[in-house]
Amino acid sequence: ESYSLAESSGVWRYRELSLLSLADVYADQGDLVGACSAYEVCVRSLREQQSHSLTVYGITMWADAMRLRRDLVGARRLLVEARSFDVSSVEKSTIHLMEYTQGALALDESDYDRAVRSLDASFNGFLILGKLRETLRCALYGAAADQPYLRSR
């Protein structure tokens, strides 16, 4: 309903924020196909609008949803794209989100050293920002990446 209202407003920023929120809800509910679809539509529009901060956020979240769907190649491709933007105007939380996604992807790819480095960086960044949920997520993945039994496999 909020997406329909935002779309009828004719203001592209309202529409894209609403679509990003909808994609986030799909992802939080475990509907990764719906999330990826919504992120893709939204990112396509954001690229045209040249809204770098929202585009980087959308691409990063899309990459994380792809990672959770086990499409590691697609997730890596999207992260490379997100990192290609000038992030000087991007919110710090989005930069830490990119680091978290990079670390979680590295863990999925069994690159434990890279995972620990990225997850430590995102943990510290989220901690400074006071984002408890994100900090705990980084701690959980970081603990998994630092386990000796994983490294022996």
Side-chain angles (χ1 to χ4, degrees):
E1 184 178 329
S2 66
Y3 175 73
S4 297
L5 184 60
E7 190 168 39
S8 69
S9 75
V11 179
W12 75 266
R13 186 170 178 83
Y14 294 164
R15 184 177 150 256
E16 304 320 323
L17 286 170
S18 177
L19 192 53
L20 277 175
S21 295
L22 181 61
D24 289 345
V25 168
Y26 284 145
D28 286 346
Q29 292 180 343
D31 181 358
L32 300 174
V33 173
C36 286
S37 178
Y39 286 129
E40 182 177 11
V41 169
C42 188
V43 166
R44 188 177 314 122
S45 178
L46 287 168
R47 285 178 184 134
E48 292 171 10
Q49 301 297 332
Q50 298 184 350
S51 174
H52 295 307
S53 187
L54 288 177
T55 304
V56 170
Y57 174 82
I59 292 171
T60 301
M61 291 302 293
W62 184 12
D64 197 44
M66 294 287 279
R67 177 189 68 80
L68 291 169
R69 288 183 63 195
R70 308 301 301 157
D71 182 351
L72 304 184
V73 172
R76 171 76 50 214
R77 178 185 50 78
L78 288 168
L79 274 178
V80 167
E81 180 183 355
R83 291 200 173 277
S84 72
F85 284 85
D86 173 12
V87 294
S88 62
S89 64
V90 174
E91 292 182 25
K92 289 190 185 305
S93 61
T94 299
I95 293 169
H96 302 315
L97 182 63
M98 279 195 303
E99 279 297 325
Y100 158 77
T101 305
Q102 180 74 43
L105 180 59
L107 178 60
D108 289 342
E109 295 171 333
S110 301
D111 186 348
Y112 303 114
D113 292 332
R114 186 176 189 175
V116 168
R117 282 192 311 274
S118 293
L119 291 164
D120 280 351
S122 60
F123 173 89
N124 291 323
F126 283 132
L127 187 63
I128 289 167
L129 294 177
K131 296 197 171 269
L132 182 59
R133 177 180 157 194
E134 291 83 357
T135 302
L136 292 174
R137 186 181 309 159
C138 293
L140 178 64
Y141 275 85
D146 205 25
Q147 292 303 309
Y149 74 89
L150 284 178
R151 294 173 180 270
S152 65
R153 290 184 174 197

